[in-house]
Amino acid sequence: MSRLLFVNGSVVLPDRVLEDAVVECVDGRITRVGRSRRRVPAGVEVIDAGGGFIAPGFVDIHVHGGAGADFMDGAVEAVVAACRAHARHGTTTIFPTTTTGSPAQIEAMLAACAAAQRAGVAETGARLGGVHLYGPYFASDKAGCHALEGCRAPVAGEYERYLAGGLVRVATCAAELPGAVAFYRAAKKRRCLVTCGHSNASWGEMEAAYKAGMRHVDHFWCAMSSVPSLRARFGVPMQASMAEFVLARPEMSTEVIADGCHLAPELLEFAYRMKGAARLLLVTDSNRALDLPPGRYRFGPEGDGSWFESDGKVGWAPNGSLASSIMGMDHMVRTMLKSTSASLPEVVRMASLTPAERVGLATQTGSLEAGKKADVLVLSKRLTVRRVFVGGVAV
Ligand SMILES: [Zn+2]
Ligand SMILES: [Zn+2]
């Protein structure tokens, strides 16, 4: 029996901070969160938080890679390298995210993730919560840094193959594409979090998507429709966009890339105030340049992904637009806390319990609660990651 006792820290719960509390774990599960006891039973490994924070491990539902590896490289070693890199930044549950690759590249990515999951990546890095089927069903006018040639409309013959394995837990499609509604229904049937992204969808297209089960929009303000973009598409009268749809519907969630480069503080604050901590997620959207020096890298598959430049803070596409982030979740948490009026429990919730709830994993992980997996972080007072435990195993 393995027993862990986290002591000498403030425990971050979804709604408050418990000062000088402890977290007890037995055999990979949390068994008690509460006031410290004087006596430590024999055979218990004590983890001293050094006066910092004891927090739940982060859950990242939108992430492309790290430490030189992109999940689309399609190799088990790439999956393991990226999962290890993100674990060092506090992510304990990860959803490897596809780009607009070819069917063969997407299948290779899914096979590599399945193999990594079987081999137990959680022993050495973040646990695979499932795959985010993100590309290829993007609108070509909203491709962003993804390879434009790969953008296509969803066809059942293709996506049913991806969904059949059960590994896909988050599924994105641009709502205006032909076949989008059928895709959303198929993904909903598989109990995926159904999302609309890289899209120039109108209100009407969002309504149809919503009816088919769509409940989330990828990286708010990035590669999505706006009133001006719809005016360019339809003329007048001006029409409401994805942004208004997300803000008007309490059931809709969305995510922000809080790296300090994509969105100014007032936009982070606006998103938090409009959606609240239970409907706004932090994601890294990190690419392979995480933890690597500035330089030129490929976004997506190693062989033919599109080139971007990392300046050490963020990725840049050749056309001068942003090409996803190069930061881990710990950085996003610190930036969100610094940039907004959200409290520490709320910011941590946006990086842990909220994403876990949206993907249906909240009974297993996402907060420090008896019965859940021992996905536990020790953070310093300044929120740098000191220790990471995935299911009670130190990584
Ligand atoms: Zn994107
Ligand atoms: Zn992305």
Side-chain angles (χ1 to χ4, degrees):
M1 196 157 74
S2 105
R3 299 173 69 112
L4 296 175
L5 183 66
F6 294 83
V7 303
N8 190 25
S10 302
V11 174
V12 184
L13 299 178
D15 57 345
R16 65 193 192 279
V17 174
L18 268 184
E19 304 291 343
D20 193 28
V22 301
V23 176
E24 289 178 13
C25 308
V26 177
D27 289 341
R29 294 264 169 191
I30 298 166
T31 49
R32 191 177 83 90
V33 179
R35 294 286 158 208
S36 55
R37 286 180 189 149
R38 294 222 162 219
R39 199 175 298 162
V40 177
V44 172
E45 188 187 341
V46 176
I47 315 289
D48 191 333
F53 294 102
I54 304 166
F58 303 138
V59 179
D60 190 358
I61 70 161
H62 185 160
V63 48
H64 299 283
D70 191 299
F71 292 111
M72 288 296 286
D73 291 347
V76 182
E77 305 77 59
V79 176
V80 172
C83 289
R84 280 185 184 165
H86 281 279
R88 290 195 291 271
H89 292 275
T91 296
T92 53
T93 305
I94 196 164
F95 290 77
T97 301
T98 59
T99 63
T100 60
S102 67
Q105 286 170 325
I106 291 172
E107 282 185 37
M109 183 275 198
L110 286 164
C113 289
Q117 196 175 45
R118 278 196 302 275
V121 180
E123 306 283 303
T124 55
R127 178 193 305 115
L128 280 170
V131 163
H132 181 167
L133 180 66
Y134 185 54
Y137 306 132
F138 292 167
S140 51
D141 55 339
K142 292 284 183 188
C145 65
H146 290 253
L148 187 61
E149 318 81 70
C151 293
R152 50 195 182 267
V155 176
E158 183 187 1
Y159 63 71
E160 284 296 352
R161 287 205 309 277
Y162 307 151
L163 298 177
L167 194 55
V168 175
R169 304 311 312 144
V170 185
T172 291
C173 178
E176 70 271 41
L177 293 177
V181 164
F183 173 84
Y184 292 143
R185 285 209 189 102
K188 167 103 168 59
K189 216 160 128 194
R190 305 256 179 194
R191 296 158 154 254
C192 294
L193 171 64
V194 181
T195 153
C196 175
H198 286 263
S199 164
N200 199 14
S202 65
W203 182 276
E205 287 156 345
M206 291 298 277
E207 283 275 18
Y210 188 86
K211 280 200 192 99
M214 186 274 306
R215 291 292 182 276
H216 185 84
V217 162
D218 303 280
H219 47 42
F220 207 68
W221 287 299
C222 303
M224 61 183 252
S225 61
S226 63
V227 172
S229 82
L230 291 174
R231 186 181 187 166
R233 194 177 154 202
F234 296 108
V236 289
M238 286 187 279
Q239 298 186 23
S241 71
M242 289 166 74
E244 289 72 35
F245 194 87
V246 169
L247 299 176
R249 291 286 173 107
E251 300 84 358
M252 287 293 297
S253 57
T254 188
E255 60 197 39
V256 283
I257 307 170
D259 63 350
C261 298
H262 279 76
L263 303 170
E266 68 272 16
L267 287 181
L268 297 176
E269 171 71 8
F270 180 85
Y272 158 68
R273 279 211 221 163
M274 292 297 115
K275 294 307 296 179
R279 288 291 180 273
L280 186 66
L281 288 65
L282 303 188
V283 294
T284 65
D285 196 12
S286 170
N287 59 50
R288 70 171 82 234
L290 169 83
D291 291 342
L292 292 189
R296 209 163 160 253
Y297 300 96
R298 279 200 197 267
F299 182 79
E302 205 173 17
D304 64 355
S306 37
W307 289 104
F308 70 93
E309 192 89 25
S310 162
D311 64 4
K313 293 196 175 90
V314 72
W316 294 94
N319 66 3
S321 65
L322 290 173
S324 87
S325 109
I326 62 159
M327 294 297 175
M329 194 65 98
D330 55 339
H331 176 86
M332 307 303 177
V333 165
R334 290 190 295 267
T335 306
M336 197 69 185
L337 190 67
K338 189 172 67 188
S339 309
T340 70
S341 59
S343 66
L344 177 65
E346 286 178 310
V347 171
V348 169
R349 188 195 209 287
M350 290 183 240
S352 53
L353 184 58
T354 304
E357 286 171 345
R358 299 307 279 174
V359 298
L361 277 184
T363 57
Q364 294 298 310
T365 190
S367 60
L368 299 176
E369 206 182 306
K372 291 195 183 186
K373 288 182 174 157
D375 298 339
V376 186
L377 307 179
V378 173
L379 307 173
S380 73
K381 281 186 190 134
R382 308 177 120 198
L383 303 177
T384 55
V385 178
R386 293 265 192 260
R387 304 286 306 272
V388 179
F389 292 80
V390 178
V393 178
V395 298

